């Protein structure tokens, strides 16, 4: 059922005023109008005021929001990256997976059916209870924000006029619940590198049912933080309130310690290359044009990568590995096998192409280049497309980390590819950029000053609370002016 939108309210005239135009002496009478609140629910009015008050109190440029990162891409350790968010009044902390392949933020709710109560990640799981937060309110089906949720899920409206959702995943798992509005608390970096505790109202999901892998304790977290482009995403909500810029960036550490950097803002690095986003797509689709192995472009028809209803290339941090369109997979594996050092022994392990080697993979395996529109190249070192499995007689077994989806033309760039790179999602300019980077080191971020003017600052390092102790150094915005959960059109989704 599609949520109903709020009907146009009765308009009442409060006053009139005269405006004198130029020197002609003529005047035009303009009606100063105000919408009537008749028929509006109290919760809607309160949330409207919260947003308005936030704008009034933040008569300054938007800042960079700093979020911690934990976890690792390696499926033998964790197999996902997650962050911590603070919701409600008083604020409570929730661990949520970082996922650019979905839109909504949701957490497990009180009295959840099937939600795990413990986690193999050794984190304390929490359950959100709207009744214990003084600033929480439910979203009704008539609320305009319910329509935003309908863009990203199967919208459900209960008999109690409560806006709900159902998320379905291709592995058989799912989550359902209802939408809530409450305060999100976060650290903001503004202008002169000072940090401040801030908050803003956001709409997020409160899951009352989880099934499949989401219900398992092995890698359980409290929910999922969607970083998609739809209006229900936290990035879109905070941008619409003037709290944060319409851009976010991450740098996922591929070392065993994991962690990394996540900011609602723009990381600045001179070597970042950008490619345009494919317009009017529900996910972060970019135009992959060709693949090169060891400097040689593979003979793959470019139409294999073209974006259509059942194919295209998607950037998704919620996917652990990476996936190639079926018609590109075999040429890719064949080219790597032909280019490896003579000392490398090819083999098949559990149906996957693998290699046995005693040499360093950086010396024994070729580089791979993913070539995108606009001339942007994503250079993959062997660790960017291989995954170490085990060892046999002192030799390491490395397998191709790219997988093939039978009968699908979808290419998915997951954490295997995205790790050890700065990745910038510039939504205002509809482009994605990246560069190789040591994600355990400091980064520069773009901010503005309180006056909106460019200001060079020699700021001290601002420590992120992630395990790898990352740092942020603000720089002026003018320096960056040029800078299994994917939904495959109702067929496949990846977590």
């Amino acid at each position: 059922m599609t949520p109903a939108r709020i009907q146009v309210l009765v308009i009442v005239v409060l006053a009139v005023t005269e405006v004198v135009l130029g020197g002609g002496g003529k005047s035009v009478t303009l009606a100063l109008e105000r919408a009537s609140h008749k028929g509006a629910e109290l919760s809607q009015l309160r949330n409207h005021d919260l947003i308005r008050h936030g704008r009034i109190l933040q008569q300054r440029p938007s800042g960079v929001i700093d979020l911690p990162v934990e976890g690792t891409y390696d499926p033998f350790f964790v197999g996902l990256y997650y962050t911590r968010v603070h919701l409600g009044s008083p604020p409570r902390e929730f661990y949520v997976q970082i996922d650019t392949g979905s839109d909504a933020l949701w957490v497990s709710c009180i009295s959840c059916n099937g939600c795990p109560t413990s986690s193999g990640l050794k984190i304390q799981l929490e359950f959100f209870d709207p009744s214990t937060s003084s600033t929480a309110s439910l979203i009704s089906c008539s609320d305009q924000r319910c329509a935003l949720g309908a863009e990203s899920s199967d919208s459900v409206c209960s008999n109690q006029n409560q806006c709900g959702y159902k998320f379905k995943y291709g592995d058989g798992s799912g989550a359902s619940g209802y939408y809530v509005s409450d305060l999100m608390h976060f650290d903001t970096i503004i202008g002169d590198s000072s940090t401040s505790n801030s908050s803003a109202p956001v709409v997020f999901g409160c899951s009352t049912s989880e099934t499949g892998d989401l219900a398992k304790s092995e890698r359980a977290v409290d929910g999922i933080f969607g970083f998609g482009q739809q209006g229900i995403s936290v990035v879109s909500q905070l941008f619409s309130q003037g709290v944060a810029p319409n851009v976010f960036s991450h740098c996922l550490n591929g070392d065993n310690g994991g962690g990394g950097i996540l900011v609602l803002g723009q990381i600045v690095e001179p070597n970042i290359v950008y490619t345009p986003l494919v317009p009017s797509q529900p996910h972060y689709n970019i135009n992959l044009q060709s693949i090169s192995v060891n400097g040689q472009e593979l003979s793959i028809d470019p139409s294999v990568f073209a974006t259509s209803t059942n194919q295209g290339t998607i950037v998704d941090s919620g996917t652990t590995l990476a996936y190639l369109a079926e018609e590109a997979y075999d040429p890719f594996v064949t080219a790597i096998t032909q280019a490896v050092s003579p000392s490398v022994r090819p083999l098949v392990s559990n149906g996957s192409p693998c290699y046995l080697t005693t040499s360093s993979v950086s010396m024994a395996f070729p580089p791979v280049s993913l070539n995108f529109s606009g001339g942007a190249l994503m250079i993959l070192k062997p660790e960017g497309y291989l995954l170490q499995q085990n060892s046999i007689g002192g030799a390491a077994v490395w397998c191709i980390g790219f997988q093939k989806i039978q009968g699908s033309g979808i290419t998915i760039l997951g954490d295997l590819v995205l790790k050890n790179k700065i990745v910038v999602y510039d939504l205002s300019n509809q482009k994605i950029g990246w560069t190789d980077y040591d994600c355990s080191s400091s980064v520069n971020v773009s901010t503005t000053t309180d006056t909106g003017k460019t200001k060079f600052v020699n700021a001290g390092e601002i420590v992120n609370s992630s395990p790898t102790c990352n740092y942020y150094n603000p720089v002026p915005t003018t320096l960056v002016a040029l800078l299994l959960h994917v939904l495959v059109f109702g067929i496949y989704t990846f977590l």
Side-chain angles (χ1 to χ4, degrees):
M1 177 179 177
T2 303
R5 291 185 177 272
I6 299 175
Q7 299 299 314
V8 176
L9 300 178
V10 178
I11 304 298
V12 295
V13 177
L14 296 183
V16 295
T17 182
E18 289 189 342
V19 180
V20 177
L21 302 179
K26 296 181 179 179
S27 64
V28 177
T29 301
L30 301 177
L32 179 62
E33 301 175 340
R34 182 177 179 87
S36 168
H37 292 151
K38 182 178 180 181
E41 298 179 12
L42 181 60
S43 62
Q44 294 175 238
L45 300 179
R46 179 173 60 170
N47 284 310
H48 174 272
D49 286 344
L50 278 173
I51 294 174
R52 179 174 175 79
H53 294 166
R55 289 171 175 164
I56 293 173
L57 295 174
Q58 296 181 26
Q59 295 298 319
R60 58 182 182 179
S62 60
V64 172
I65 296 176
D66 172 19
L67 296 167
V69 177
E70 301 178 40
T72 175
Y73 83 98
D74 194 333
F76 298 105
F77 287 90
V78 178
L80 59 86
Y81 290 92
Y82 53 95
T83 186
R84 302 192 300 272
V85 296
H86 297 83
L87 303 170
S89 301
R92 296 183 63 184
E93 184 176 76
F94 298 88
Y95 291 85
V96 286
Q97 182 179 357
I98 301 166
D99 182 19
T100 61
S102 66
D103 298 293
L105 165 65
W106 64 263
V107 296
S108 299
C109 212
I110 197 72
S111 302
C112 182
N113 180 26
C115 294
T117 57
S118 62
S119 174
L121 301 179
K122 302 185 185 305
I123 58 176
Q124 180 64 47
L125 298 182
E126 297 288 342
F127 295 87
F128 186 78
D129 185 354
S131 67
T132 63
S133 174
S134 61
T135 49
S137 61
L138 304 183
I139 303 297
S140 70
C141 293
S142 58
D143 193 311
Q144 289 179 320
R145 292 168 296 177
C146 186
L148 295 178
E151 298 175 354
S152 306
S153 67
D154 294 333
S155 182
V156 178
C157 277
S158 67
N159 294 332
Q160 291 77 33
N161 192 32
Q162 187 169 284
C163 183
Y165 60 88
K166 286 185 178 180
F167 295 109
K168 300 176 182 178
Y169 307 101
D171 62 357
S173 62
S176 61
Y178 55 91
Y179 284 110
V180 177
S181 175
D182 208 342
L183 291 179
M184 172 182 278
H185 305 263
F186 41 79
D187 293 330
T188 303
I189 307 169
I190 297 179
D192 60 356
S193 81
S194 62
T195 58
S196 63
N197 295 324
S198 305
S199 64
V202 296
V203 174
F204 59 92
C206 197
S207 289
T208 55
S209 176
E210 295 174 22
T211 59
D213 285 348
L214 289 174
K216 297 178 181 179
S217 296
E218 182 180 4
R219 299 189 306 162
V221 288
D222 294 317
I224 292 177
F225 196 151
F227 281 83
Q229 302 183 70
Q230 302 297 331
I232 195 65
S233 75
V234 169
V235 175
S236 296
Q237 292 186 61
L238 295 182
F239 172 67
S240 68
Q241 298 177 45
V243 175
N246 198 23
V247 57
F248 69 95
S249 314
H250 60 65
C251 194
L252 307 176
N253 193 349
D255 296 338
N256 288 339
I261 299 165
L262 174 63
V263 294
L264 272 59
Q266 186 169 26
I267 295 178
V268 182
E269 187 64 25
N271 296 323
I272 292 179
V273 295
Y274 283 90
T275 190
L277 283 167
V278 180
S280 304
Q281 297 298 314
H283 304 291
Y284 292 116
N285 285 72
I286 52 180
N287 283 313
L288 176 62
Q289 297 180 327
S290 63
I291 300 175
S292 300
V293 175
N294 212 24
Q296 298 297 313
E297 186 173 313
L298 305 185
S299 297
I300 302 173
D301 189 335
S303 64
V304 168
F305 303 118
T307 301
S308 66
T309 54
N310 60 357
Q311 67 180 45
T313 301
I314 299 170
V315 178
D316 178 23
S317 68
T319 293
T320 302
L321 301 175
Y323 296 80
L324 265 183
E326 184 176 22
E327 294 182 44
Y329 183 80
D330 290 340
F332 175 73
V333 174
T334 298
I336 290 175
T337 302
Q338 293 175 345
V340 296
S341 168
S343 63
V344 175
R345 175 188 164 193
L347 55 89
V348 176
S349 176
N350 296 322
S352 297
C354 300
Y355 307 89
L356 193 66
T357 179
T358 56
S359 304
S360 166
V361 292
S362 61
M363 300 294 294
F365 288 82
V368 169
S369 175
L370 305 180
N371 310 316
F372 296 90
S373 62
L377 306 182
M378 181 179 287
I379 307 298
L380 302 182
K381 299 175 183 177
E383 294 86 352
Y385 61 84
L386 296 174
L387 192 66
Q388 185 172 3
Q389 299 287 286
N390 48 38
S391 59
I392 300 176
V397 177
W398 289 82
C399 297
I400 298 290
F402 277 79
Q403 307 297 300
K404 175 170 59 176
I405 308 174
Q406 294 290 346
S408 172
I410 291 295
T411 294
I412 304 169
L413 306 182
D415 294 339
L416 175 70
V417 173
L418 301 178
K419 71 180 188 300
N420 298 327
K421 289 179 176 63
I422 291 173
V423 183
V424 178
Y425 303 75
D426 186 346
L427 306 186
S428 289
N429 295 301
Q430 286 293 287
K431 61 182 181 179
I432 290 182
W434 57 80
T435 188
D436 289 342
Y437 202 77
D438 177 2
C439 296
S440 65
S441 62
S442 63
V443 296
N444 293 322
V445 292
S446 168
T447 84
T448 54
T449 67
D450 287 339
T451 61
K453 297 181 179 180
T454 301
K455 180 180 179 181
F456 291 87
V457 293
N458 185 14
E461 293 179 322
I462 301 170
V463 180
N464 181 6
S465 56
S466 70
T468 49
C469 294
N470 304 300
Y471 305 95
Y472 301 87
N473 301 323
V475 298
T477 52
T478 53
L479 296 182
V480 296
L482 299 177
L483 287 174
L484 276 271
H485 180 67
V486 174
L487 173 64
V488 184
F489 305 97
I491 302 175
Y492 295 100
T493 51
F494 292 85
L495 189 62

